[in-house]
Amino acid sequence: MARFATTTTILAFLGALLLSFGATPGHAQSTFSVNSLAPIDDASIGDGDCRTPMNTCTLRAAIQEANATTGTKDVIEFAVPSSGTATIPEDIELEITAPVIIDGMSSPAYDGSAPAIILDGSAVSGSSEDALTLTNAEDSEIRGLAIVNYPGTGIAVRSSDGVAVHDCFIGIEPDGTAAGNSDHGIEAYSDVTIGSTSAGNVISANGDTGLYLVGMTALVSDNVIGLDEDGTFSRPNGRHGVSVSGSDAEVTLQSNTISGNAEDGVRLEGGQHVLTSNVIGLSADQSAARANERGVVLNSGNNQIGGNDLLFANVIAGNTGDGVAIGSSSTSADNNVVQYNYIGTTSGGDPFGQNIGLRVANGSGNSVDGNVIGANAGGLSIDDDAESTEVTRNLIGVTPNGDDVGNRKDGVIVSSQAGSAAAGTKIGLATPGTGNVIANTGGDGIRLEGDFTTVQNNQIGLNGSAGAGNDGNGIVLDGAFNATIGVAGFGNEIALNGENGIEIVAGGDVIIQGNYIGTNAQNGGLGNDGDGIRIDAKAGLEVRDVVIGYPESATISSDPDPLEGGLGNRIRYNTSDAVRITSSGTVAYATVRGNLMSDNGGLGMDLGTDGRNASDPNDADTGPNKLINAPEIQGMIGPIFDTATREFSFPYLVDCATAKCNYDLTVDFYLADSDPSGEGRVYVGTQTYAATDAGTTVQASFTAASWTSPTLDDHLVAIATDGGGSSSEFTITPIRLPVELADFGARANGETVLLTWRTLSETGNHLFQVEHRGPDQAGFSVMGTVDGAGTTADPVDYRFETSELSAGMHRFRLRQVDVDGDETLSDEVTAQIALAQNIVFGAPSPNPARGQVTFTIGMQDPGPVRVVMYDLLGRQVATLYDGTPTAGQEKAITRSIPPVPSGRYFLRLEGASVRTVQPLTVVR
């Protein structure tokens, strides 16, 4: 707004405009000086002299003379008033039909804060007359006027491309008093520029829409629409703040405050548009809610709401209805991008919520990316008529600094009835860095009620390593069909939620794979306060065809651990059961295979609510998953496990009649976490139990999976799945294994780690490979070897020492190799190498730098930090890093250098109690 500019800035700006809008070569430009406020016609229109019969120059007469000239862009200046404000009591619509500059800022009384010239239409006798209409008046400029009390629109632009309006008050007096025009503030049907940096307009208190644009190209910048001149108190336009329609319209809205309007802040009905750096629903300083009914409404496609990062974010908060609404029940809006906005909070993270933060009601191919969505009644809603919506990189319920701005109900709710997998909603993608954080909600993290939704690569109840649990369930499926929760290598972390990790109450054809439930990729104890997964069909409803881990027909041929890209789920540390299947309705064909379960408060697998079910003869009972009897591992005939061949051999049976179970049965065997719980911690092998075996004892014989390393403390349990996909509970009495590796540990001392292990006996042991995975490594590599003792019945102690390790968490495991080539992997052990100092901020490299720069950060204590680039005047240039590095670990970060001139800059590491600087030289 001009009121914030200095006089020197305004004069320089006016000088530049006068040069750029100078007369066409070969024609003389006229300047008319208005010295009378009377609404009087020119005495002799076209003589080049602005002169009324009263020997004065009025605004009406000056416009008439300017209209009569051709080939020039005349200038209308004001010699009045000398101080205060002056009102022109116009009684007709003033029509501009030739290029002209009407410069209210030329008034001697103009002080740079508000117009001194008021064009007042109170005396107009008609019912729809506009204040100023421009027709065939290309490149005209209206500046420094207050236009109030007209029965029509303040300024109407028709067939006049290139018109610019700035530093005007449209609908309010210079003192902020509401004096709206009865129709729109400004309406335009030709290309226009409305406002500019430090030269915006105030467009408020008008009877209809503040800014009404139809079928044209426009730049709308730095205006206040719907508030007073300071952007503080509401002066609502009677309908929308900004309305755009017409299929060929292209509008850029940037750095405006659009708040306090009776209906929508911004309503886009046609064309394609860009909105960046606007405040919509709050006061200009973001200190108070000044609600529109809805913030931004998109009833057209291919719009971009927000920029490429949060530096260009719109703040959309404090509105009565939804913050952003895409489409409606009757209108499809396709291929919109809502990216990097604050929706429900200020740019500083203060909560000013609204109804639903962002609603995708109808449309295909819309993208919701990189937004902060918090403090709303609900975070994100994807409704029935939405298809192919992608939701990526959003912080839902948390700020970039980690502050809690939880939405009061659900974080994300999907009721989209997509007709195919290709048209389904994707919450997170199967590519690195595309997941969302969904945290701190008063309800469920994600609620799925529609079809073909994929949820992958998200943190639900976590924010990095910090707890941010949702009050309800992590994910609820209520009527959802063909849902996919996690995929190989891109599962979700679902932890610390107030109820269950995942709950299914109605629906079917659900796949749950590769997730961390109650834990994370670092195996932290982050249990949900209920079951890891609960299937509990509502009364009268059904849940069917659910796969948790591997399908019934799949072969588990590689490590099912999600950290290794497997389809199994890690389900750990939850308060109750790992998986509970119960029902007031019907549950059928829930398959549970290949998962890693341990340290839960209840059972690994619980059918019903009565704890472990005893096997009944011929399995006659009924219930969830038909209450299939669990396998029974019988008393041993010979050794159960041969350490030399890694072969398991033992008798077992499944007591289930062929009339009940769909044979053949697939029986999966696991190393259990403990004797009492019988949870399947590590999958070791599978056997087929044929129909001809039904109810009889058979001999299991299989080689232990190559990624396993049974120990003396392990127990063996099993779970059976019939041919229809219904899984049993785990074996009632876990069987303990006779194994040989008794102890394996790691101890750090400075940059050195000492590994020690003991075997109780060995058969054909050739050597141990010591495998290592450092803090920044994706997988294990061989660090060294230690010769084995061959065959011995006596205990043997081993040690291996390694040094010069970097700071952070180091993982070690042993790969034991027999003389015949068979291999066995041990469990992992870890050692933490501490940082040499509490804070590490390495010098940027290269330096000087051109395109990219790399720097190293490390924090001994956990906490969010930023690396900010400043110029030598201390002005912030860009944020190169904003996150929470892993405590006690050095991290190398590479970032692109922003497009800044060559010169010296400095990078500053900023945290709660951290301030340290490194210099950087940029060359171009």
Side-chain angles (χ1 to χ4, degrees):
M1 291 297 302
R3 60 187 177 278
F4 300 130
T6 65
T7 302
T8 302
T9 302
I10 293 169
L11 291 175
F13 177 68
L14 290 175
L17 284 173
L18 289 174
L19 288 174
S20 63
F21 292 112
T24 303
H27 301 273
Q29 181 187 59
S30 298
T31 299
F32 304 112
S33 182
V34 175
N35 55 26
S36 170
L37 304 177
I40 303 175
D41 290 325
D42 190 70
S44 179
I45 297 173
D47 64 359
D49 184 14
C50 177
R51 189 178 300 277
T52 69
M54 306 299 294
N55 202 29
T56 59
C57 179
T58 65
L59 175 60
R60 185 190 298 181
I63 290 174
Q64 290 168 338
E65 284 296 334
N67 288 341
T69 60
T70 60
T72 66
K73 180 160 61 177
D74 296 331
V75 178
I76 299 175
E77 296 181 343
F78 293 82
V80 292
S82 59
S83 62
T85 60
T87 299
I88 300 174
E90 193 54 73
D91 56 8
I92 64 170
E93 179 176 289
L94 299 179
E95 299 182 17
I96 301 170
T97 59
V100 68
I101 298 174
I102 300 179
D103 185 9
M105 298 168 69
S106 63
S107 167
Y110 181 72
D111 63 2
S113 64
I117 303 298
I118 304 170
L119 189 56
D120 192 321
S122 299
V124 175
S125 60
S127 60
S128 60
E129 281 79 358
D130 304 326
L132 300 175
T133 64
L134 292 89
T135 306
N136 299 321
E138 288 79 5
D139 299 323
S140 292
E141 186 176 350
I142 311 297
R143 60 196 188 206
L145 300 179
I147 302 174
V148 298
N149 295 323
Y150 273 80
T153 291
I155 300 174
V157 182
R158 302 181 178 89
S159 303
S160 300
D161 287 341
V163 170
V165 181
H166 62 85
D167 292 282
C168 292
F169 283 19
I170 314 290
I172 69 169
E173 303 274 6
D175 64 0
T177 301
N181 303 289
S182 296
D183 202 355
H184 308 303
I186 299 174
E187 62 180 285
Y189 304 84
S190 302
D191 298 349
V192 294
T193 299
I194 308 298
S196 62
T197 303
S198 299
N201 305 281
V202 180
I203 309 172
S204 301
N206 298 287
D208 200 292
T209 294
L211 182 57
Y212 184 78
L213 306 174
V214 180
M216 33 66 77
T217 299
L219 172 61
V220 181
S221 176
D222 289 79
N223 303 284
V224 173
I225 303 174
L227 302 179
D228 64 7
E229 73 280 11
D230 294 321
T232 301
F233 296 107
S234 295
R235 300 288 186 269
N237 293 293
R239 294 198 66 200
H240 314 304
V242 178
S243 174
V244 184
S245 59
S247 60
D248 54 348
E250 294 185 16
V251 176
T252 298
L253 286 157
Q254 63 185 33
S255 302
N256 303 283
T257 299
I258 308 171
S259 303
N261 299 285
E263 296 185 19
D264 303 328
V266 178
R267 186 178 184 87
L268 304 179
E269 295 283 356
Q272 53 189 39
H273 316 289
V274 177
L275 276 68
T276 60
S277 303
N278 301 286
V279 175
I280 302 173
L282 301 177
S283 59
D285 63 1
Q286 303 181 39
S287 66
R290 298 290 180 257
N292 306 289
E293 182 178 341
R294 292 180 295 182
V296 178
V297 174
L298 306 179
N299 285 330
S300 65
N302 300 295
N303 300 292
Q304 179 169 329
I305 311 302
N308 294 324
D309 59 44
L310 288 173
L311 293 175
F312 304 99
N314 299 289
V315 174
I316 306 170
N319 299 288
T320 304
D322 298 337
V324 179
I326 300 177
S328 66
S329 59
S330 60
T331 304
S332 178
D334 304 330
N335 302 314
N336 294 288
V337 176
V338 181
Q339 183 178 52
Y340 288 116
N341 301 280
Y342 294 96
I343 302 176
T345 76
T346 69
S347 56
D350 296 324
F352 286 99
Q354 43 224 339
N355 183 32
I356 300 298
L358 193 155
R359 183 189 301 274
V360 184
N362 190 345
S364 177
N366 293 292
S367 173
V368 180
D369 177 56
N371 304 281
V372 177
I373 305 175
N376 307 287
L380 170 63
S381 179
I382 301 172
D383 295 352
D384 290 358
D385 296 319
E387 292 189 345
S388 303
T389 305
E390 288 190 355
V391 181
T392 54
R393 302 191 300 174
N394 300 283
L395 298 176
I396 300 177
V398 66
T399 71
N401 293 327
D403 296 330
D404 178 350
V405 286
N407 298 286
R408 295 189 297 280
K409 297 180 182 177
D410 300 326
V412 179
I413 182 169
V414 180
S415 55
S416 172
Q417 302 297 320
S420 67
T425 297
K426 290 182 173 60
I427 303 174
L429 302 179
T431 53
T434 59
N436 305 276
V437 173
I438 304 168
N440 298 316
T441 68
D444 301 318
I446 298 176
R447 186 174 188 84
L448 303 182
E449 299 175 351
D451 299 341
F452 293 104
T453 300
T454 300
V455 181
Q456 57 196 347
N457 209 10
N458 304 286
Q459 289 193 305
I460 304 169
L462 287 176
N463 179 27
S465 59
N470 301 289
D471 287 352
N473 302 284
I475 301 175
V476 169
L477 292 86
D478 188 354
F481 288 85
N482 297 290
T484 300
I485 311 299
V487 298
F490 295 96
N492 304 282
E493 293 182 347
I494 308 170
L496 293 173
N497 298 288
E499 296 182 22
N500 307 298
I502 299 173
E503 183 173 25
I504 307 174
V505 297
D509 296 304
V510 176
I511 297 174
I512 302 173
Q513 294 176 332
N515 301 286
Y516 303 87
I517 303 173
T519 185
N520 57 7
Q522 292 73 41
N523 247 345
L526 306 166
N528 300 287
D529 198 11
D531 301 315
I533 299 174
R534 175 180 292 184
I535 301 175
D536 187 1
K538 295 179 179 177
L541 298 178
E542 182 179 52
V543 176
R544 63 185 301 116
D545 298 309
V546 177
V547 174
I548 301 173
Y550 288 77
E552 178 274 330
S553 60
T555 299
I556 306 175
S557 59
S558 58
D559 193 340
D561 190 339
L563 191 63
E564 303 298 331
L567 301 182
N569 302 281
R570 280 193 193 177
I571 309 174
R572 303 190 67 187
Y573 303 112
N574 299 287
T575 301
S576 298
D577 299 325
V579 177
R580 175 179 293 184
I581 301 175
T582 184
S583 179
S584 300
T586 301
V587 176
Y589 313 123
T591 302
V592 181
R593 299 189 62 220
N595 302 285
L596 292 74
M597 305 178 185
S598 66
D599 302 290
N600 296 288
L603 302 179
M605 176 76 165
D606 187 2
L607 298 179
T609 59
D610 54 352
R612 235 184 227 113
N613 296 305
S615 292
D616 57 308
N618 294 315
D619 208 356
D621 54 0
T622 61
N625 264 12
K626 299 184 288 187
L627 287 182
I628 291 177
N629 282 338
E632 300 175 31
I633 300 176
Q634 302 293 300
M636 291 185 293
I637 303 175
I640 189 171
F641 182 64
D642 188 325
T643 58
T645 64
R646 293 181 48 77
E647 289 289 327
F648 283 94
S649 181
F650 52 87
Y652 76 101
L653 70 83
V654 183
D655 190 2
C656 187
T658 56
K660 178 175 182 178
C661 289
N662 297 329
Y663 277 86
D664 293 339
L665 306 184
T666 299
V667 182
D668 298 315
F669 295 92
Y670 300 81
L671 303 180
D673 69 332
S674 67
D675 189 6
S677 77
E679 297 183 77
R681 177 175 57 87
V682 177
Y683 166 83
V684 291
T686 295
Q687 295 281 274
T688 298
Y689 192 82
T692 55
D693 301 327
T696 66
T697 299
V698 298
Q699 189 73 11
S701 180
F702 59 92
T703 303
S706 62
W707 55 87
T708 64
S709 180
T711 71
L712 186 62
D713 293 326
D714 284 325
H715 300 71
L716 189 67
V717 294
I719 194 169
T721 302
D722 78 353
S726 295
S727 292
S728 72
E729 294 181 342
F730 281 102
T731 303
I732 293 176
T733 305
I735 299 298
R736 186 170 183 170
L737 300 179
V739 296
E740 309 301 328
L741 184 63
D743 182 56
F744 179 33
R747 186 173 71 252
N749 182 13
E751 296 179 347
T752 298
V753 170
L754 175 64
L755 303 176
T756 58
W757 64 98
R758 164 176 280 200
T759 62
L760 299 181
S761 64
E762 297 179 21
T763 303
N765 181 19
H766 176 47
L767 57 82
F768 294 97
Q769 288 181 344
V770 179
E771 297 186 354
H772 168 253
R773 179 180 174 187
D776 291 322
Q777 291 178 306
F780 282 87
S781 60
V782 177
M783 175 171 276
T785 61
V786 177
D787 290 339
T791 299
T792 177
D794 297 324
V796 180
D797 293 315
Y798 295 89
R799 59 186 286 136
F800 180 90
E801 188 174 90
T802 182
S803 59
E804 298 182 359
L805 297 174
S806 62
M809 183 66 70
H810 292 260
R811 301 175 184 276
F812 301 88
R813 67 186 184 187
L814 300 174
R815 185 180 297 272
Q816 183 267 322
V817 182
D818 290 342
V819 292
D820 58 5
D822 288 342
E823 298 178 353
T824 303
L825 274 178
S826 73
D827 288 340
E828 298 174 19
V829 296
T830 60
Q832 177 75 37
I833 302 296
L835 290 171
Q837 50 192 351
N838 288 335
I839 301 167
V840 173
F841 186 30
S845 176
N847 193 3
R850 186 183 304 273
Q852 291 186 322
V853 64
T854 298
F855 50 89
T856 301
I857 62 174
M859 304 289 293
Q860 191 65 49
D861 299 319
V865 297
R866 300 193 309 161
V867 176
V868 182
M869 183 174 177
Y870 294 87
D871 63 18
L872 292 182
L873 297 179
R875 296 175 298 195
Q876 181 173 326
V877 175
T879 298
L880 301 185
Y881 176 81
D882 190 347
T884 303
T886 301
Q889 178 177 319
E890 294 182 17
K891 179 180 182 65
I893 299 169
T894 300
R895 291 289 187 269
S896 295
I897 295 175
V900 296
S902 298
R904 296 181 61 197
Y905 298 81
F906 60 93
L907 308 182
R908 186 166 74 175
L909 177 66
E910 302 174 351
S913 58
V914 178
R915 292 290 188 278
T916 183
V917 172
Q918 290 285 2
L920 173 66
T921 300
V922 175
V923 295
R924 294 297 183 190

